[in-house]
Structure formats: structure tokens, C-alpha cells
Amino acid sequence: MAEFPTTARVVIIGGGAVGASALYHLGKAGWTDCLLLEKNELTAGSTWHAAGNVPTFSSSWSIMNMQRYSAGLYRGLGAKVDYPMNYHVTGSVRLGHSKERLQEFRRVAGMGRYQGMDLDILGPDEIRGRYPFLETHDLTGALYDPYDGDIDPAQLTQALAKGARMLGCRIERFCPVTGVRREGGEWVVSTPKGDVRCEYVVNAAGYYAREVGKMFGRDLPMMVMSHQYMLFDTIPELESWSADVGHKLPLLRDVDSSYYLRQEKNGFNLGPYEGNCRAHWATPDDPFPQDFSFQLFPDDLERLEWHIADAMARVPLLEKAALTKVINGPIPYTPDGNPLIGPMPGVPNAFEACVFTFGICQAGGAGKVLAEWVTQGATEWDMWSCDPRRFTGFEDEAYCVAKGMEVYGHEYAIQFPHHTWPEGRGKKLSAVHDRVAAHGAQFGAYNGWERALWYARAGDDVSEAAQQTWDRAGPWFGAVREECLAVRDACGILDLPGFSRFVVSGAGVAEWLGRQITGKVPSVGRLGLAYFADDKGRIVTEMSVARLAEDRVLLITAATAQVHDREWLVAHLEDGCTLIDETDQWSTQILTGPLSREVLAAVSDADLGKGWLTLQTAAIAGREVRLMRVSFAGELGWEIHSKVADTAAVWDAVLVAGGPLGLRAFGMFALNSLRIEKGYRAWKGDLSTDYTVLQGGLERFVDWAKPAFRGKAALAAEKQAGVAKRFCTLVVEAGECDPPYMSTIWQDGVVVGETTSGYYGHRVGACIALGMLRADLNVPGVAVEVEVFGVRCAAVVQADAPLWDAKNERIRA
Ligand SMILES: Cc1cc2nc3c(=O)[nH]c(=O)nc-3n(C[C@H](O)[C@H](O)[C@H](O)COP(=O)(O)OP(=O)(O)OC[C@H]3O[C@@H](n4cnc5c(N)ncnc54)[C@H](O)[C@@H]3O)c2cc1C
């Protein structure tokens, strides 16, 4: 027997489908000195009992990427590693019961096409051609996905493990990790068989990930649900049909009724995501077990009765089958239902690839992504949707349980652009939350912070049901228009709690920052927008820089970017510079519009003649504030930054002074409309690592004269070679809906780009899309089409300047 390995470059903790795939992909990347430690036998966690469905469908671009990659990998894996597997590519039929569902299908079909997949929309009359045993009278259509299928999860894991071993990686089974410690810049991973020294560690412990996380001092945002599927016996009619046609039925997903139904041999497998669902190991009387290997929960069919009856009505054949077996197993959830793949926040050389809800269909792609994180420190596709740093630490147990249950109970729900989910709300409240609420604010959560989305007027429908639409003209539309026009004609105030802010100090801070960002560091008393690129020149993040002093800068960034950006800064901090996170101490209000100077003049002692992009300390209502002369809304305006304890007094004073001048509170929907008219990009929509700084159209924020900054060589090479696609602004004749993220841009029947955001601009009276377009077509006046929910809408390329106030005269007024 081989000796227990005492060193490895990477140790992976957990041998489910995901851990095995991570090992395989590290091996494929040439990192073969890697070791997987599994406390029991491979697959002992969630993997052994998974149903093994392998869909490619996702309304998230990055998750679709991962699943598409998995399906492609699984097709060839068995032959590649000589481990035959049961992988049935049966296709799937996803049923739609509403107009909105069909719109979702059309959108996903468009994204799928862009990823090289041919997904097909079926009319109600065509569905039975794919799935003969179906009642279709109440359906609006369906999506046919020819790439969907099912795989044996244990065989998949063993094949990945075999492939990894063939590449030279090692696996130790029955070897639980009991602790980890840092020693001499390395990790020491303890097991009953001995210690292993390694450079990197990966937590791939599935539903045990929180326990493993604790070893690193980390509290993972996760919880565990019980999920069931039922196996039904052979149905002779199905058996003879299958024999006749020579294949199985496609997998059926009735997403509006929330279940899937799959042909299993010549019977069925029915798997619901029920609304009256059950969390496990979430209360003191149900403690987390030390070991649950190869165990299941007791059957609980009562919860599923509605779905069983519904499935029998949909596919009457099911009624003829006897139920033979129920599988009820643990399935982990993060608060948004996406897994954790990427750097472990706050812990050096440690990564996570865990808390997978769909870990079989995502394992392949997740292994690729994880291996890229470990070996390159960056991923090919922007993977923010799964980045552990998207959670920032406020997600306590109660929040995780409430959100996990909400996601599970709505697993197939449509993600409408104006909809807010009700669970886990009110975690972080602005100092003026009650005042904002009293104005009629309808709130949405941003990194836990409640912010006004829009202000309802008397009679506006504020129900959750009214948010369930893709149409732009929901109940908010009229109010948002009024808010935008008030900002245009008078002034508006937006309460914006939760901006992330870091003060970096040190004698060489300006030189240090100059090496981190692509552009110039503002001089003392001035502000600027700064872009941080990676070594490939791709957009890592955007921050506002306020130069507080020669040796001190304030960096302000999105609420959700708090951990991501702080870690990036800390990782690149140099000797002599220190960083303090002041996020919790301050709050922000945006005061903007042509009359904002008058409002401020009435309440503050500030020098309001100071120009655009200046910074000053002033007093409002006797409280010291920082006034920054910028406006994301694109009008004359100031950001008022006040200490949280002073925020209410500032708000009150500004509202009293502004009332007679027509000051109006506005919300995030209006801000989105206002910013898109200015072509201001939003982080992780328009700005992501999917694009370089030059593709993002941000060359004016690149200071080529600087001797060095991160990404300079790559950007210079790209500039020399010519930028293939570039940021564009389009005016779109979009009908009733604005183009969502990743709507394809067409010309002459060819896809020539994609949108990264779309919204209606009330000042310009048009639907606007920002996106990426082939450089040769990125010429003002060029006609293209944008595919919006399956309909190609005429669009015109705009000049590389804001649509509203192209010369920025209003901002500089
Ligand atoms: C009923 C049911 C049906 C499902 N159907 C599907 C489906 O059709 N399609 C799909 O994509 N997903 C499905 N899932 C989800 C899927 O099972 C999981 O997402 C997937 O198995 C997760 O794989 P993993 O490798 O992340 O975790 P796991 O399979 O849970 O593996 C984690 C491993 O870590 C090991 N471990 C834990 N702690 C330690 C330690 N301290 N030291 C060493 N090892 C440790 C565990 O023993 C375990 O083997 C289903 C889940 C359930 C419950």
C-alpha cells in the first residue's frame, strides 16, 4: 500500500462530484501534485443519491456557461478515461403556463444560441410531438433543450477520480480532515492518518462545508434542505413506446408547477421543489450530525401530494405506476441558491467549491473554474454569481435558513427585473429608513441594505404580484418617470446607505494607487473614477477615489463589492500603506438636479462654486459632512457623505430646504434610468472580467504615460492589435420590455454583440441598451437589431458620448 502522502501542492477536502472534478481539472492544468481527502468513500455526501439530471438551462449567463461546459465534458469523459458511464442525453421539455414564462424561455434560448446551443421554442401544438403522453390544454408553449439528460452521479465521480489519478493526482479515502493550521506560510492539514503540508487548500465538503469552514475561522453562508424524488415502477405502455421509438422520453420540467418528471428505465422519477419545504439541522433539537455518510432522511410524501397529483394530471400514464422508492437527501443552499466557487474570504491560499444545489450538472464547469482560481488566480468567465465574496458577513443563521427555504420553494421561479424577494429583509437599515419609508419608498436589498427602489404614489399598486412582469411599464413606471423628471427640472435626493469605503494611508499612497489603477490618481481635494485591471487587462473593479490628503485616499465602491474590493486592495497593499474599512461609519445621500445648489446653499456653509470632481468638508445643520461634486444621475449635484449618527439631521435639513424648490426623493430604479442615459456603467453588468478596459470603452481612464500599472502590457498589446469589440450605446425600438443582460445584437442575420444592460431613459424618452459590439460596426448611425425575448428589435448605434447632456454641461454647471 502506498504511503500516506505528507505533502502536496493542493489539498482538496471532500470527494463528491465537485471535489473529484476540481482534482481532475487541476491535474489537467498540469498541477498533478494534488491530493483529495475524503472522510468516507467517494460520493458519500449528497452525490451518491442525486438524481443526476444534467440541464444546461439557466437564466444566469455564467451558470449556463458552467452547465454547458459540464454537458460537453461528460459526453467524452467515459471514453477519455476509460470508465464507461450511464449518461443519457434525452433532451428536455420545459413547460410554460404563461406569457411571461415563454418570454423567459425565449431569453434563455437567445443566450443558449450565443453559447453555441440550439434550444427550441415549441408551440402548444408541437409539444406532444416531443412528449406524447402529455396534457397540453393549459400550456402556452415549451422550451426544448436537446442537450439535457441524466448521468449516474457515482459513475461520474469515479470517472473524474480515475481521470485525475491517471494524470498523477492522489486520493485518500476514509481520511477525514480534522483541522488545519498555518505554519511557515503553508497549510498543515490534519487527519487521523497524519498531517499533510500544502500550499493551497480547497473546501469541497458539500453540506459539511460550514464545519470545514470553521477550521479556517470562517462562517459559511449556507443551510441544508431536504430534497426528495420518487421512483415509480415499470409502465408497460411506456416500455413498449420506448422499445418502438428506440429512445427514452425527454425529461419533463413543469416549472410553473415546480417539479421534474424523468423516465427512469421504463418507469418514472418525479422530483418536486415544494413550497412547504423543510430545512434540516437548523434548530437546536435537530443538531448537525458529525457523520451522515450514505444516509437519508425518512420519506415525507405528505409535502409532495399536490405535486404528485399535478404530475398525474399532466402525464396520466404516471397514475398507472406503483411508487417503489423515495429518496430524501440533504442538499445545501446559499442564500441566493448559487454555489461558492473561488477564493475563501479573508483566508490566504484557501478556496471554496461547495454548497452546490445542482452539483452534478455543475461539477464539470465548477472544476474548471476552481482550477483556474487556484492555478491562475482568475477565471476565464466572469464568475461573480458564484464568488464567495458576494456575501459580506451579515448573513446570519436565521437569514441563511429563510433565504435557503425561499430559494428552494421557488427553485424554478422567473427572476423578473423589478421583483424583490420578501425573505431575509430589513437586515441593514439606513439612519433615515423610517423617513424614507414614510415617503412611500418601496425597498430592495443591496448587500443587506434596504434602499428605496421607487416611491409609490397614492393608488400605485405595491403588491408583489404586480412585480411579476417583464414589462417596463409596471406600477412603478409613472412614479419613476416623475422622479427622473424632478431630477432633470428641479432636484432629487437619493438615500444611499451601504457604499463600501476604504481609507488607505501612507507616505507613498499615491504612487501605490497609481500602480493599481489604469488612470491618474486625483490631486488633493479632487475626485476621480478609477479602474482596476487584472494582468490580462480585464476589468476587476471600479471605485471612486477621493484624495483626502497627500498621504490619504478614500476609495468608495459598490455595497456588494465590499469584501471583493477590500480583498483585492489588501492583497496588493505595499509596505507603508494601511487600509481601514470605514463602511459602517458613514452613509451617503445623492442630491442632484439643477436646483441642488440652491438647496445646499440654504443649509450649508460649503463653497458651492467649487467645480466638478472636487471634494470639500462642510457643515449641514451643524454636522460635518464631506461634499463630493459628482452625480451618477448626470445632473448638477453633490454626494453628501455624513457620519451615520449625523445622517438623519442632514436629511431633515435638506428636505426642509428643498421642499419649496421641488425637491423629490428618488429611488434606485430612477437612478438606473438616469445613469444609463449617461452611459455610466454598472459593476458586474457592464463592467466585469469578461471585458478588458479597452473593450469597456474606458481608454480615457488609461494613463499610458505611467511607467507601470497592472494590466498595462496586456492592454498595450490589445491596443496595438486592435480592439475586436467595444462598448456601445444603442437606442432600441424595444416594444414593451427593455433588453435584459446578454441579449444578442444582430446585423444581417449574424450575432455581432451583446447587451450588458438595458433600461428606459425618461429624459431622452427612449429605451437604451449598453453593450459590446464588433468594433467595425461601432459607428454612430449604424443599424443593428437587439433580440429582446425572441423578437429582433431595430436599434441604432449612438456616438461614443452620453445620450443625455453629451458635453456634460449640466454636471459642470
Ligand atoms: C434528492 C436529491 C436529488 C438531487 N438531484 C440532483 C440532480 O438531478 N442534478 C444535480 O445537478 N444535482 C442534484 N442534487 C444535488 C447534488 O446532489 C449536489 O449538489 C452534489 O452532489 C454536491 O456535490 P459536492 O461534491 O459538492 O458535495 P458532496 O457530494 O456532498 O461531497 C462532499 C464530500 O465531502 C466529504 N467531507 C465532508 N467533510 C469532510 C472532512 N472533514 N474531511 C474529508 N472529507 C469530508 C463528504 O464525506 C462528502 O463525500 C440532488 C440532491 C438531492 C438531495
Side-chain angles (χ1 to χ4, degrees), residues 40-247:
N40 195 283
E41 183 55 88
L42 293 179
T43 77
S46 286
T47 295
W48 71 277
H49 57 62
N53 302 328
V54 186
T56 61
F57 182 100
S58 176
S59 57
S60 151
W61 176 257
S62 48
I63 288 186
M64 180 187 266
N65 247 330
M66 257 196 331
Q67 296 178 174
R68 176 189 51 77
Y69 174 90
S70 294
L73 175 77
Y74 301 169
R75 270 178 190 267
L77 184 66
K80 192 162 191 180
V81 304
D82 191 22
Y83 193 96
M85 275 187 292
N86 287 317
Y87 179 30
H88 312 113
V89 180
T90 57
S92 69
V93 173
R94 194 173 275 256
L95 304 179
H97 291 241
S98 65
K99 168 181 131 243
E100 290 75 17
R101 185 61 83 174
L102 263 282
Q103 287 174 292
E104 180 201 47
F105 291 169
R106 290 199 180 94
R107 167 167 189 239
V108 170
M111 293 201 316
R113 194 185 313 104
Y114 204 18
Q115 293 199 9
M117 297 187 292
D118 231 343
L119 310 181
D120 204 11
I121 304 291
L122 305 178
D125 301 341
E126 296 170 303
I127 305 174
R128 287 171 68 104
R130 291 281 179 196
Y131 201 106
F133 304 106
L134 198 68
E135 289 299 321
T136 58
H137 59 279
D138 54 348
L139 301 177
T140 51
L143 179 80
Y144 179 67
D145 174 357
Y147 311 92
D148 209 330
D150 60 90
I151 199 163
D152 181 315
Q155 290 176 339
L156 168 66
T157 309
Q158 295 296 351
L160 290 163
K162 184 173 181 200
R165 286 195 189 101
M166 284 162 63
L167 291 163
C169 302
R170 290 161 296 167
I171 296 176
E172 278 289 323
R173 296 170 298 132
F174 302 102
C175 187
V177 171
T178 52
V180 296
R181 61 180 192 277
R182 276 305 263 174
E183 239 177 54
E186 289 180 321
W187 286 106
V188 179
V189 177
S190 302
T191 80
K193 296 186 183 178
D195 286 354
V196 188
R197 277 187 173 273
C198 61
E199 237 177 286
Y200 301 97
V201 192
V202 180
N203 178 355
Y207 58 78
Y208 298 90
R210 180 180 265 162
E211 306 308 303
V212 170
K214 283 178 193 159
M215 298 176 193
F216 296 85
R218 162 133 165 90
D219 186 17
L220 259 80
M222 64 173 286
M223 54 84 73
V224 181
M225 296 294 299
S226 97
H227 177 47
Q228 307 181 75
Y229 61 85
M230 294 153 273
L231 297 173
F232 292 83
D233 210 353
T234 296
I235 305 168
E237 222 173 315
L238 182 56
E239 188 171 23
S240 69
W241 178 86
S242 264
D244 281 353
V245 298
H247 60 77

Side-chain angles (χ1 to χ4, degrees), residues 14 16 18 38-39 46-47 49 51-53 177 227 356 358-361:
V18 173
E38 163 54 49
K39 73 187 219 171
S46 286
T47 295
H49 57 62
N53 302 328
V177 171
H227 177 47
F356 280 79
F358 294 101
I360 306 306
C361 65

Side-chain angles (χ1 to χ4, degrees), residues 293 321 390 481 541 620 709 729:
S293 301
R390 71 191 187 278
R481 178 179 170 76
T541 188
I620 294 181
F709 59 86
T729 302

Side-chain angles (χ1 to χ4, degrees), residues 46-53 150-154 226-232 251 259-262 264 268-274 296-301 303-304 307-308 323-331 360 408 412:
S46 286
T47 295
W48 71 277
H49 57 62
N53 302 328
D150 60 90
I151 199 163
D152 181 315
S226 97
H227 177 47
Q228 307 181 75
Y229 61 85
M230 294 153 273
L231 297 173
F232 292 83
L251 186 144
Y259 60 81
Y260 69 82
L261 182 69
R262 186 177 98 197
E264 186 72 26
F268 279 112
N269 171 341
L270 174 63
Y273 289 92
E274 67 282 14
L296 293 171
F297 302 123
D299 306 351
D300 187 0
L301 286 183
R303 306 203 309 251
L304 311 182
H307 299 82
I308 299 169
L323 177 66
T324 53
K325 198 171 179 181
V326 178
I327 301 286
N328 185 1
I331 187 165
I360 306 306
Y408 179 96
Y412 294 129

Side-chain angles (χ1 to χ4, degrees), residues 781-802:
V782 165
V784 291
E785 291 169 316
V786 178
E787 183 179 322
V788 186
F789 299 105
V791 179
R792 296 213 199 141
C793 304
V796 178
V797 179
Q798 304 297 307
D800 184 18

Side-chain angles (χ1 to χ4, degrees), residues 216-454:
F216 296 85
R218 162 133 165 90
D219 186 17
L220 259 80
M222 64 173 286
M223 54 84 73
V224 181
M225 296 294 299
S226 97
H227 177 47
Q228 307 181 75
Y229 61 85
M230 294 153 273
L231 297 173
F232 292 83
D233 210 353
T234 296
I235 305 168
E237 222 173 315
L238 182 56
E239 188 171 23
S240 69
W241 178 86
S242 264
D244 281 353
V245 298
H247 60 77
K248 295 210 288 184
L249 282 169
L251 186 144
L252 188 75
R253 276 195 193 78
D254 194 339
V255 281
D256 292 314
S257 294
S258 199
Y259 60 81
Y260 69 82
L261 182 69
R262 186 177 98 197
Q263 182 176 346
E264 186 72 26
K265 299 200 173 83
N266 288 308
F268 279 112
N269 171 341
L270 174 63
Y273 289 92
E274 67 282 14
N276 57 337
C277 50
R278 166 98 205 258
H280 265 284
W281 308 328
T283 50
D285 60 345
D286 183 19
F288 189 84
Q290 274 315 298
D291 189 22
F292 201 69
S293 301
F294 294 113
Q295 294 183 55
L296 293 171
F297 302 123
D299 306 351
D300 187 0
L301 286 183
E302 227 169 88
R303 306 203 309 251
L304 311 182
E305 274 173 7
W306 183 88
H307 299 82
I308 299 169
D310 194 78
M312 286 179 171
R314 180 66 56 203
V315 182
L317 202 56
L318 183 61
E319 270 185 281
K320 301 184 180 171
L323 177 66
T324 53
K325 198 171 179 181
V326 178
I327 301 286
N328 185 1
I331 187 165
Y333 273 75
T334 64
D336 62 13
N338 289 348
L340 303 174
I341 318 171
M344 188 184 292
V347 185
N349 289 11
F351 294 84
E352 288 169 345
C354 49
V355 200
F356 280 79
T357 296
F358 294 101
I360 306 306
C361 65
Q362 293 171 358
K368 165 183 152 64
V369 170
L370 185 278
E372 288 169 352
W373 272 124
V374 175
T375 61
Q376 302 170 35
T379 53
E380 179 190 352
W381 314 312
D382 189 282
M383 287 305 300
W384 179 243
S385 61
C386 300
D387 195 312
R389 295 167 297 185
R390 71 191 187 278
F391 298 110
T392 58
F394 74 89
E395 305 85 357
D396 55 24
E397 173 104 25
Y399 177 86
C400 291
V401 171
K403 293 303 284 182
M405 291 181 73
E406 182 178 57
V407 175
Y408 179 96
H410 300 86
E411 191 58 76
Y412 294 129
I414 303 174
Q415 302 295 333
F416 290 111
H418 292 93
H419 177 234
T420 53
W421 290 99
E423 292 295 343
R425 300 297 299 277
K427 295 301 287 183
K428 300 187 201 173
L429 301 183
S430 155
V432 295
H433 181 82
D434 292 344
R435 290 162 167 84
V436 169
H439 274 74
Q442 303 303 304
F443 290 98
Y446 293 73
N447 183 29
W449 285 101
E450 295 290 337
R451 290 184 183 164
L453 299 174
W454 63 289

